[in-house]
Amino acid sequence: MKTRRIVLASRPSGVPVASNFKTVEQEIAPLQEGEVLTENLVFAIDPAVRGMLDEKEDSYLPAVPLDGLIPTMVLGRVIESRNRGFKVGDYARGFIGWEEHSIIPADNFATENVHVDPTIPLSAYMGALGWSGITAYIGLKRIGEMKADNVVVVSAAAGAVGSAAGQIARLSGCRAVGITSTDKLADVTGLLGMHAAVDYKTAPDLAAAIREACGGKGADVFFDNVGGKILDTMLPLMAAFGRIVVCGMVADYNQGKDVYAFRNLWQVLVHRVTMRGFLAYEHLDMLAEAESTLAGWIKSGQLKATENVATGLERAPDAFIRLMSGQTKGKTIVRLRDDVSTLADLKLS
C-alpha cells in the first residue's frame, strides 16, 4: 500500500514558496509493536513549523532534513493497530506530517485517542478543540495564572491560538484586548467578542492605543504569539507583577538570524514581570480539563472555532504560504476529503 506525502525540497529564504515543497509517493511500512496506521482526515498548518525548515540547532524541535516530511498535527481514523490503546475505527491524533496516511509510533509525544463528538466539525479537532485551543487554555490558566477581572492582551488575536485565547479570557470574566491588523479588527471585536482591538499596523502611537484599549490600566496578562516589536511595546505596559505568556515568535520566523533587537527588556524588572515560555504538551495533566471545557463552549456557541480550510493534500503548501504571509484568519487546516466535515459524514470503507 502506498501513500502520498509532502516533503521539503529546498530550504526557504524568508516567506516560503511553492518550489520549497514537493509531493512524493511512498510505500507504507509494516506496523511495529505499539504503532497505529491512520487514514488521515484533517491536519493542521502551523506557523511554528517555519522555524523547523531552517538549519537551526537551538529550537525545541529538530530541523526538517531535505526530503523530510513536513511535520504537523494530524487526525485520522485508525485502519490498523498494534497499540493496545487503539482499535480499528478509533480516531488518533498525533504530531506526524503532511501525508494521506500516517504511522503513529507509541512514543509520539502528542498521541491521543480522541473521542470525536459527531456534532462537532472534525476541523475543530485541529483548531479550537485541538492543540491551538488547548495551548491557549493551558497558557492562560497555568502559565498566565489568569483570574477573573484581569486585563488580558493577546497578540495575533485573529490567528489560530490568539482567537481562542481572547475568547477564553472573555469567557473567564476578563477584559480581553486583541492586537491584530486592519482587515481583522471587526472579527476580533465582533465574531470573537473581545472587548477591544488595536491595529498594530496603523495606530499612530501603538503603546497609547493599547493602553487606552486596556482601560488605562496595565495588562495583567499578555499572551504573546508574535514577539518582536509588539512584545517590546508591551513590556512597559504591563501591570505590576504581570505575567507574559510566550507562546510564539512569528515576527521572527521568516527572518532567519536577523531577529528583532529588544529595547525595553529592563521593564521586566521595573514592573516585576514574570515572562515564561511553555509547550502545551508538557502539561498533559490539564488535557482532559481543557478539552472538556473547550468542547462545552463550542457546543453551546460561546466559543467560535474560526478556521480557513483547504481541501486536498496538494493544497497544503499554498495554505502554509498564505499563513506565513499573514493572509489568513483563525486556524489554517487541510482536510483530505471533500465529503467529510463531521464524523456523521464519514462513509466507512
Side-chain angles (χ1 to χ4, degrees):
M1 180 179 176
K2 293 185 177 181
T3 191
R4 293 190 306 149
R5 51 185 6 212
I6 295 179
V7 301
L8 185 64
S10 59
R11 299 204 180 277
S13 176
V15 177
V17 296
S19 60
N20 296 136
F21 308 96
K22 64 181 178 182
T23 303
V24 300
E25 193 172 71
Q26 180 172 306
E27 195 75 31
I28 297 174
L31 288 190
Q32 302 299 310
E33 190 63 33
E35 295 179 337
V36 297
L37 174 63
T38 60
E39 174 193 1
N40 292 333
L41 301 172
V42 291
F43 58 71
I45 302 292
D46 293 311
V49 169
R50 174 61 187 84
M52 300 168 65
L53 306 186
D54 296 328
E55 291 184 290
K56 291 182 178 179
E57 298 179 356
D58 55 353
S59 182
Y60 59 91
L61 288 172
V64 177
L66 291 177
D67 294 320
L69 178 67
I70 307 299
T72 195
M73 292 296 299
V74 304
L75 175 72
R77 175 175 169 261
V78 176
I79 57 176
E80 186 180 346
S81 176
R82 293 192 64 186
N83 184 320
R84 285 179 291 181
F86 296 84
K87 64 181 184 300
V88 172
D90 284 348
Y91 294 86
R93 184 165 60 192
F95 189 73
I96 303 296
W98 297 359
E99 56 185 357
E100 292 175 325
H101 297 82
S102 291
I103 292 177
I104 303 179
D107 61 354
N108 184 275
F109 65 79
T111 298
E112 183 183 359
N113 192 328
V114 179
H115 300 288
V116 175
D117 187 316
T119 67
I120 294 177
L122 289 171
S123 56
Y125 290 90
M126 289 291 101
L129 192 46
W131 281 95
S132 294
I134 292 165
T135 295
Y137 188 94
I138 291 172
L140 287 171
K141 297 282 188 174
R142 173 164 288 174
I143 310 303
E145 300 178 357
M146 181 180 66
K147 303 174 182 66
D149 297 324
N150 277 177
V151 175
V152 178
V153 178
V154 180
S155 61
V161 178
S163 61
Q167 293 182 86
I168 291 167
R170 171 177 56 79
L171 290 165
S172 300
C174 298
R175 179 173 178 80
V177 176
I179 301 175
T180 189
S181 55
T182 312
D183 58 320
K184 300 169 185 174
L185 288 171
D187 284 344
V188 169
T189 54
L191 177 66
L192 303 177
M194 297 185 209
H195 297 93
V198 176
D199 185 344
Y200 74 91
K201 288 187 174 181
T202 63
D205 185 333
L206 181 57
I210 295 171
R211 185 175 294 280
E212 180 180 358
C214 291
K217 302 178 181 180
D220 299 294
V221 180
F222 175 42
F223 191 102
D224 189 24
N225 298 293
V226 175
K229 180 182 177 181
I230 290 178
L231 173 57
D232 210 26
T233 301
M234 279 299 305
L235 287 168
L237 302 178
M238 298 301 297
F241 304 103
R243 288 84 65 196
I244 297 177
V245 181
V246 181
C247 180
M249 293 278 178
V250 71
D252 286 333
Y253 288 167
N254 289 322
Q255 305 305 315
K257 295 182 179 180
D258 186 22
V259 297
Y260 183 88
F262 285 88
R263 300 179 179 181
N264 292 320
L265 196 58
W266 63 287
Q267 293 289 327
V268 171
L269 172 61
V270 171
H271 296 288
R272 286 85 76 210
V273 170
T274 299
M275 184 164 64
R276 180 180 170 187
F278 77 107
L279 302 175
Y281 61 80
E282 294 179 339
H283 301 271
L284 296 181
D285 60 305
M286 289 190 71
L287 186 58
E289 174 192 336
E291 290 181 332
S292 175
T293 304
L294 292 166
W297 281 336
I298 290 171
K299 292 185 72 170
S300 69
Q302 293 175 283
L303 191 152
K304 308 297 183 185
T306 59
E307 302 167 347
N308 57 95
V309 181
T311 301
L313 178 71
E314 64 281 355
R315 296 290 304 282
D318 176 66
F320 184 59
I321 292 165
R322 288 189 294 106
L323 172 65
M324 297 313 301
S325 302
Q327 301 174 28
T328 61
K329 299 177 184 179
K331 182 67 179 182
T332 301
I333 294 165
V334 170
R335 62 177 183 172
L336 279 296
R337 291 170 54 171
D338 61 8
D339 61 340
V340 176
S341 293
T342 67
L343 189 59
D345 298 328
L346 186 60
K347 300 174 180 63
L348 303 181
S349 55

